[in-house]
Structure formats: C-alpha cells, structure tokens
C-alpha cells in the first residue's frame, strides 16, 4: 500500500481551491448583476407595497466567507475511527488546513434607503399625494450601467482564473 505524503495531498487541493475561489467570485458578481438588473427594471416604480413607498435600490455587499472548506465541513460531520492502523493516512487537523486557504467571497443583498428625494409634480399619476407630487426611486441608470460594467469585467476575470486553473490541471495530466 502506497502512502500519499501530506504535502502532495495539500498541493492537489490547492489547484482545485483556486477554482472554488473564482467560482465564489463569479457567483457574487452574478448577484451584483441581478441587483443591478432589478434596479434598472424598477427605476420608475413608485408604489411597491401599496402604501406609496417607492422602490428601494438594491446593492450587494461582498464579504469573505468564514474559513471553511467543503472538506473541513465534511470532516466535522464524519464519524472518526478511534484507532487507526499504522498504514493509514494520518488524520489531518481540520483547523490547521483551513488557516492556509484563501477565503471565498459571498455577497449579501441589502436595500439602500432613498437618500435623495426624487419628487416630481404629476397630479395625474395614480400614486401622487394630495399636493400632486410623486416620489420616484433614487436610481441613477448611468451609475447602474457603470456598476454593471464593473461586475461584468470582474466576472470575466474570474472566468479567466478558472480557465487558467483548468489548463494547469490538464497540463499536469499530460505528465
């Protein structure tokens, strides 16, 4: 029976880890694109809840995912043998491996209250108040398009990372 050295096992995991990180970045950028699409689509919505409240702009806040890998989570829930034979692969401490990895990214969507009042006099509008004013959402379409371009470029960069990692893996199989 051949024992796989611990450092080789760690190396194999690192190649796939870069794909995990880039995938988390792509997921987060897709969330940003969803929020931007929602903002543009609802830029003129003046009554979202039936009480005359305008649509609130959505924004995705990115943060690092707690240092957990799928392997660490799986190890936590696995039943561990109390004794092992000398030929078995030594059990690695989950916490020591987790500290070595780069964190993933996650996004959480928040609603931004309307800071500026975008009030338009339109007494014929069904959502106009008693004085004839309508409150529109505080959404700048040009700003949304700029954010969309940034999210698109970040998504493309993450795709490039996945393709590079995939090429490295394929090249390593040619050896």
């Amino acid at each position: 029976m051949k024992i796989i050295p611990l450092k080789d096992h760690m190396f194999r995991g690192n190649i796939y880890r870069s794909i995990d990180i880039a995938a988390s970045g792509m997921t987060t950028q897709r969330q940003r694109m969803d929020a931007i699409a929602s903002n543009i689509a609802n830029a003129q919505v003046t009554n979202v809840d039936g009480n005359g409240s305008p649509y609130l702009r959505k924004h995705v806040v990115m943060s690092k995912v707690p240092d957990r890998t799928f392997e660490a989570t799986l190890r936590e829930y696995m039943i561990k043998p109390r004794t092992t034979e000398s030929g078995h692969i030594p059990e690695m401490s989950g916490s020591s491996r987790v500290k070595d990895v780069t964190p993933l990214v996650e996004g959480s969507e928040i609603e931004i209250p309307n800071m500026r009042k975008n009030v338009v006099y339109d007494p014929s509008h069904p959502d106009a108040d008693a004085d004839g004013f309508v409150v529109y959402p505080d959404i700048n379409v040009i700003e949304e398009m700029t954010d969309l371009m940034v999210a698109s470029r970040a998504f493309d960069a993450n795709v490039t990372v996945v393709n590079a990692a995939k090429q490295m893996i394929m090249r390593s199989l040619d050896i």
Side-chain angles (χ1 to χ4, degrees):
M1 172 183 240
K2 182 179 178 184
I3 297 175
I4 301 171
L6 181 61
K7 68 178 183 176
D8 294 342
H9 181 74
M10 296 283 285
F11 177 70
R12 189 179 73 222
N14 285 341
I15 288 177
Y16 294 111
R17 182 71 180 160
S18 61
I19 293 175
D20 289 342
I21 294 167
S24 72
M26 286 190 290
T27 301
T28 305
Q29 296 306 324
R30 186 195 49 77
Q31 285 179 310
R32 284 184 67 195
M33 288 187 214
D34 289 348
I36 292 166
S38 178
N39 291 340
I40 292 172
N42 292 295
Q44 299 294 319
V45 174
T46 57
N47 190 0
V48 291
D49 56 2
N51 295 329
S53 300
Y55 172 81
L56 297 179
R57 182 175 183 254
K58 293 181 179 176
H59 183 72
V60 173
V61 177
M62 290 190 230
S63 61
K64 104 177 190 183
V65 173
D67 293 338
R68 294 195 61 88
T69 62
F70 174 75
E71 184 179 354
T73 304
L74 183 64
R75 286 184 179 275
E76 182 179 315
Y77 291 103
M78 282 180 27
I79 299 172
K80 297 175 184 169
R82 294 188 187 270
T83 59
T84 61
E85 293 184 17
S86 60
H88 288 171
I89 298 171
E91 181 177 340
M92 295 179 294
S93 160
S95 61
S96 65
R97 291 201 58 206
V98 170
K99 289 178 183 174
D100 296 335
V101 298
T102 305
L104 301 175
V105 176
E106 70 179 358
S108 56
E109 192 174 279
I110 61 170
E111 290 182 338
I112 300 175
N114 290 323
M115 302 301 282
R116 292 178 290 158
K117 296 291 182 189
N118 189 8
V119 180
V120 175
Y121 180 73
D122 186 5
S124 64
H125 195 283
D127 295 326
D129 62 9
D131 297 327
F133 290 100
V134 179
V135 179
Y136 284 92
D138 182 25
I139 294 175
N140 183 343
V141 176
I142 294 171
E143 183 180 324
E144 297 296 328
M145 292 302 295
T146 304
D147 288 347
L148 180 64
M149 288 174 56
V150 171
S152 176
R153 296 294 179 253
F155 188 90
D156 290 346
N158 283 306
V159 169
T160 302
V161 169
V162 169
N163 285 332
K166 189 172 68 177
Q167 279 184 327
M168 289 173 64
I169 293 168
M170 295 304 292
R171 293 287 300 156
S172 66
L173 292 176
D174 291 341
I175 297 175

